[in-house]
Amino acid sequence: MTATDTAPTGLAQGWCALSLLHGRIEAHIERALQAEHGLSVREYSLLDVLSRQHQGPGGHLQMKQVADAVVLSQSATTRLVTRLEERGLLTRYLCPTDRRGIYTDVSEAGLELLARARPTNERALREALDRAAAQPELAPLVRAVETLHAASDTAG
């Protein structure tokens, strides 16, 4: 491919299709979560990630780990945590062994909201995948996602 070629490579086309699929899925889930629970996709993801951490040594995630898990910068993650804390969905406290460390946990209200939002997230994901599967350029990616899901079901 030269600098004057305008046709995308197969790799670039695949990346564009993946990006399109991700954007459509995220937008569909965002609308459903906002309408039914007042949550953004990022807020839902943060609550979900934090709800899976366990108590005890090594049981909490550092803010960088949380940021990586929700695909945000550390500063954006901190702002997101602050917003959810202000809504009573999260709590923060100092690490008992390292006073510089701050842990974040999902509050009871956050766990209840997450439990109500999970079926909405799953339904919206299924709807978005079904719509995408009807489009020839996205159908192979949908099959790949479904294959990953099936593989994780048999492994777990």
Side-chain angles (χ1 to χ4, degrees), residues 43 46-51 53 63 66 77-93 103-111:
E43 291 167 338
L46 180 64
L47 290 173
D48 186 55
V49 165
L50 292 175
S51 75
Q53 67 186 357
M63 196 57 81
V66 174
T77 301
T78 299
R79 289 190 302 274
L80 183 58
V81 166
T82 299
R83 281 197 314 270
L84 291 177
E85 184 180 34
E86 289 170 353
R87 290 174 58 188
L89 302 174
L90 298 177
T91 57
R92 280 192 264 199
Y93 60 93
Y103 290 150
T104 304
D105 277 332
V106 181
S107 67
E108 284 301 315
L111 290 172

Side-chain angles (χ1 to χ4, degrees), residues 1-12:
M1 180 178 221
T2 67
T4 58
D5 288 341
T6 57
T9 64
L11 186 60

Side-chain angles (χ1 to χ4, degrees), residues 56-143:
H60 291 86
L61 300 174
Q62 297 175 346
M63 196 57 81
K64 180 177 181 351
Q65 293 170 302
V66 174
D68 289 346
V70 295
V71 194
L72 289 173
S73 68
Q74 284 185 280
S75 61
T77 301
T78 299
R79 289 190 302 274
L80 183 58
V81 166
T82 299
R83 281 197 314 270
L84 291 177
E85 184 180 34
E86 289 170 353
R87 290 174 58 188
L89 302 174
L90 298 177
T91 57
R92 280 192 264 199
Y93 60 93
L94 292 174
C95 172
T97 58
D98 180 358
R99 305 292 288 172
R100 295 169 296 173
I102 298 175
Y103 290 150
T104 304
D105 277 332
V106 181
S107 67
E108 284 301 315
L111 290 172
E112 290 169 10
L113 179 57
L114 182 61
R116 289 191 310 271
R118 275 195 173 115
T120 302
N121 183 73
E122 290 294 318
R123 184 193 75 240
L125 173 59
R126 181 74 265 159
E127 290 168 357
L129 287 171
D130 288 347
R131 286 181 189 164
Q135 298 179 354
E137 72 275 14
L138 299 179
L141 294 171
V142 172
R143 285 193 298 276

